[in-house]
Amino acid sequence: MLGYRGLTLALRMNYQLIPKELRLITEKVEARQRLSEADALTLYRANDLNALGIIANVVRERKNDNYATYIHNRYINYSNICILSCQFCAFAAKKRDAHAFEYAIDEIIRVVGDALALGVTEVHMVGGLHPTLKKEWYLDLLQRLRTLGPNLHIKAFTAIEVRHLAQRIFRMPIRDTLETLRAAGLGSITGGGAEIFDPVVRDKICRGKETVAEWLDVHRTWHSMGGRSTCTMLYGHIETLAQRVDHLRQIRELQDETSGFTGFVPFAFEPSQSDGILAQIKRASGFEQLRNLAVSRIYLDNIDHLTAYWVSLGLPLAQVSLSYGVDDLHGTILEEKIFHMAGATTPQQQTVAALEYAIREAGREPAQRDSHYRRLNGASRAGQPNEPELVCA
Ligand code: SF4
């Protein structure tokens, strides 16, 4: 395996593959200098995808060697009933809507218990901003999940849900709300709800949703309590490249302050069910998704991990992204609703074997990880028989 010196040499040997307009940036990356927002914009405007992959791969291997991780997890959405109506969201419903759902705690416990028996280490749980569920309901849910097993990590609630709980349900400050949730069993908060930070775009795609300052403040508070979280970006709709860069800048700045983000998970807008201002948007191409991942990897120098969300990309493209800066394929998930209600045609789950097969075929070393991206010992299933065909989107 190449060390940093070897990687640097490898990059130098490939310098002829880097177009002139990216060479200064490449030198900065080699020298571990921080990139400017103008550099990020130059990268976003570059059409030489392979050059971006070469540069991103240097950062990726510097941070994560040849490993590519995945988590064995179970998604569950406790309810899609939401007081907001974000324009891009096909998941949310009002109570009167035919597609509204709300799981009883007993049902959630049963489903997660079944997943635990399959070996999951994490339950990932988000929902809408529910108008009537009580504080006791959330705390009972967390406490009962916690009793399922000492090794089950509960990753739950976006920063938007946390603010909703704090302001409308718990009626407590953000910190106290997070302390209360943590005392009941919350292990980490999710990165959702960030969308695009630009306020003008935000007003067009998710009017009424919490502001960027409020989203950042929840994560800042959680990090100051010793908590860890992921961060996201919803791109490929009406935002400009400069607005994407500004989103990344704000994430990088908060990470400079707190070091609390474990991984970055960008995902492309799923356009199938959209109308209004989003009706004419085309799905982000494979080229664009790989470019976005590579630029994110190169620019976000202070975030260790970059996840390809296969639910959005499809596993085949997620596999390719392992050569464009990505070091994590997310997880088994077992049941995804939010993207699929928006029209995603990818599978709803992956097996551990399928994820490991995809990683190994891409020339990377698979490793199961925990919720904080720490590799679990002896988790790789290398050499196991009956490796399945890649599950295709
Ligand atoms: S994105 Fe979240 S907050 Fe917005 S409508 Fe959908 S569930 Fe509600």
Side-chain angles (χ1 to χ4, degrees), residues 10-254:
L11 181 61
R12 286 213 174 108
M13 281 192 292
N14 285 324
Y15 237 84
Q16 56 190 317
L17 300 176
I18 308 292
K20 253 191 257 163
E21 67 273 18
L22 297 185
R23 286 192 186 157
L24 279 178
I25 294 174
T26 308
E27 284 173 13
K28 278 189 176 183
V29 172
E30 259 196 313
R32 301 177 185 236
Q33 287 172 9
R34 174 154 278 193
L35 298 193
S36 67
E37 286 70 59
D39 292 334
L41 208 46
T42 300
L43 292 169
Y44 265 130
R45 288 180 177 144
N47 287 324
D48 192 331
L49 189 59
N50 285 338
L52 292 176
I54 290 169
I55 304 168
N57 196 48
V58 169
V59 182
R60 181 237 189 271
E61 294 195 356
R62 184 184 287 161
K63 289 181 178 294
N64 298 292
D65 293 328
N66 198 40
Y67 288 108
T69 54
Y70 63 88
I71 187 166
H72 197 183
N73 62 351
R74 208 306 174 187
Y75 264 36
I76 189 152
N77 302 114
Y78 54 90
S79 173
N80 66 343
I81 297 171
C82 186
I83 59 173
L84 288 185
S85 302
C86 298
Q87 290 85 330
F88 68 83
C89 178
F91 167 74
K94 302 304 174 197
K95 273 194 174 179
R96 61 181 177 277
D97 292 339
H99 66 292
F101 68 84
E102 180 182 319
Y103 287 122
I105 291 178
D106 283 347
E107 178 67 2
I108 297 172
I109 297 299
R110 186 190 64 73
V111 164
V112 178
D114 289 349
L116 256 181
L118 295 174
V120 303
T121 62
E122 174 191 276
V123 55
H124 182 290
M125 184 174 66
V126 295
L129 309 185
H130 198 289
T132 54
L133 287 176
K134 299 280 185 280
K135 175 181 174 184
E136 293 68 30
W137 187 90
Y138 290 97
L139 299 184
D140 189 28
L141 172 58
L142 290 171
Q143 285 158 357
R144 289 188 58 192
L145 283 171
R146 186 169 56 179
T147 60
L148 284 176
N151 297 323
L152 179 69
H153 182 97
I154 304 170
K155 181 170 183 173
F157 311 127
T158 65
I160 308 302
E161 285 173 277
V162 170
R163 282 201 79 85
H164 167 69
L165 294 179
Q167 290 178 333
R168 304 186 186 97
I169 311 295
F170 290 24
R171 298 181 185 275
M172 290 160 68
I174 296 291
R175 177 175 289 272
D176 293 351
T177 300
L178 287 168
E179 292 283 15
T180 305
L181 292 170
R182 182 157 71 177
L186 182 69
S188 54
I189 61 173
T190 74
E195 324 313 356
I196 275 281
F197 288 157
D198 183 86
V200 175
V201 177
R202 219 170 163 77
D203 193 50
K204 289 180 178 159
I205 67 166
C206 51
R207 190 166 306 125
K209 199 167 201 162
E210 278 71 1
T211 64
V212 51
E214 290 168 330
W215 187 94
L216 291 168
D217 183 55
V218 170
H219 285 270
R220 182 183 289 108
T221 304
W222 179 243
H223 296 170
S224 75
M225 294 161 52
R228 294 289 172 267
S229 59
T230 45
C231 47
T232 63
M233 174 171 74
L234 178 70
Y235 70 97
H237 40 85
I238 59 169
E239 88 288 356
T240 63
L241 294 178
Q243 287 162 342
R244 273 192 223 177
V245 171
D246 194 58
H247 185 102
L248 297 179
R249 176 189 63 79
Q250 296 192 62
I251 283 178
R252 193 171 75 173
E253 283 181 3
L254 182 58

